[in-house]
Amino acid sequence: MQYKLKTPVTQADLAPLRAGDTVLLSGTVYTARDAAHQRMMELLDAKKPLPFPVEGSAVYYVGPTPERPGEVIGSAGPTTSGRMDAYSPRLLDLGQAVMIGKGARNQAVKDAVVRNGAVYLAALGGAGALAARSVKALKIICWEDLGCEAVRELEVEDFPLTVILDAHGGDLYESGPADYLAHT
C-alpha cells in the first residue's frame, strides 16, 4: 500500500502502516546524525530543551552535500541508521514518531518503535539526488559548527520512503527475504 503523510504525525496516522508499505512524506523533517544526537542527549541530561519540537517529529539521518547555485540542498542520501541506535529509544520515548535512514536497527530500537507506535522508514541509499528533489526549503536551526551534520529543518513534499519497522513489530528486513523465498 502507499500512504501520504504530513508531519507532525500521530500514532493514529502511523497505525495503518505495515513493513513494506510506501510513504510519500510531506511537511517538516529535521536532520540529525551521530554528533547531533550526542549533543541532544547532553541537552536532555542537562534538563534543557531540544532544538526542535520532538512530539510527532520526523528525523532524517542525513548529512547533505552543499547545494549548487539555484538548489535548495545538495545530494541528501541517508546515512547508516545503526549509528543512532544508542540514542533512538530515548527520543522515541519522548515522542519522536518517525526515523528515516538506511540499514537494520537493533532490538532496543525495534522495541521502542512498537512501545511508542512509531515507524522507521528507509530512504533509498545511493539516490541522494532523488531525495533532494523532495526538499522545498531548508534552514539550519542549530550546531552549524557540525558542518553537514548541523541540525536542519527541511520542508519536504512527497519524499518517497519505505516502511522498514512498523508500530506492530513488522520488520521488512525479516519479512521481505522470507516472503521472497516463499514465492520462489
Side-chain angles (χ1 to χ4, degrees), residues 26-144:
S26 297
T28 301
V29 173
Y30 300 97
T31 70
R33 286 180 37 165
D34 335 24
H37 274 76
Q38 178 60 44
R39 289 190 183 177
M40 287 190 285
M41 296 303 111
E42 291 167 3
L43 287 176
L44 291 172
D45 290 344
K47 308 251 187 282
K48 294 182 179 176
L50 292 175
F52 58 86
V54 72
E55 186 70 32
S57 67
V59 176
Y60 184 23
Y61 307 143
V62 62
T65 63
E67 68 279 358
R68 293 183 189 144
E71 294 180 342
V72 173
I73 194 171
S75 182
T79 196
T80 303
S81 302
R83 295 198 319 257
M84 274 52 75
D85 281 0
Y87 315 113
S88 295
R90 188 172 184 187
L91 293 171
L92 291 167
D93 288 343
L94 290 172
Q96 181 184 339
V98 177
M99 301 171 290
I100 305 166
K102 68 177 180 182
R105 307 305 297 269
N106 70 21
Q107 191 60 50
V109 173
K110 292 178 186 183
D111 293 344
V113 163
V114 172
R115 178 172 67 245
N116 293 289
V119 295
Y120 168 50
L121 307 175
L124 186 59
L130 172 66
R133 285 197 298 216
S134 296
V135 179
K136 304 305 176 191
L138 171 154
K139 70 178 176 180
I140 296 175
I141 58 172
C142 67
W143 304 320
E144 196 166 353

Side-chain angles (χ1 to χ4, degrees), residues 1-3 5 14 16-24 99 113 118-123 160-168 170-173 175:
M1 297 275 310
Q2 184 174 77
Y3 295 89
L5 291 177
L14 302 177
L17 303 180
R18 296 293 184 267
D21 287 343
T22 302
V23 171
L24 296 174
M99 301 171 290
V113 163
V119 295
Y120 168 50
L121 307 175
L161 303 161
T162 301
V163 178
I164 301 298
L165 301 177
D166 65 38
H168 313 283
D171 181 346
L172 187 60
Y173 290 137
S175 63

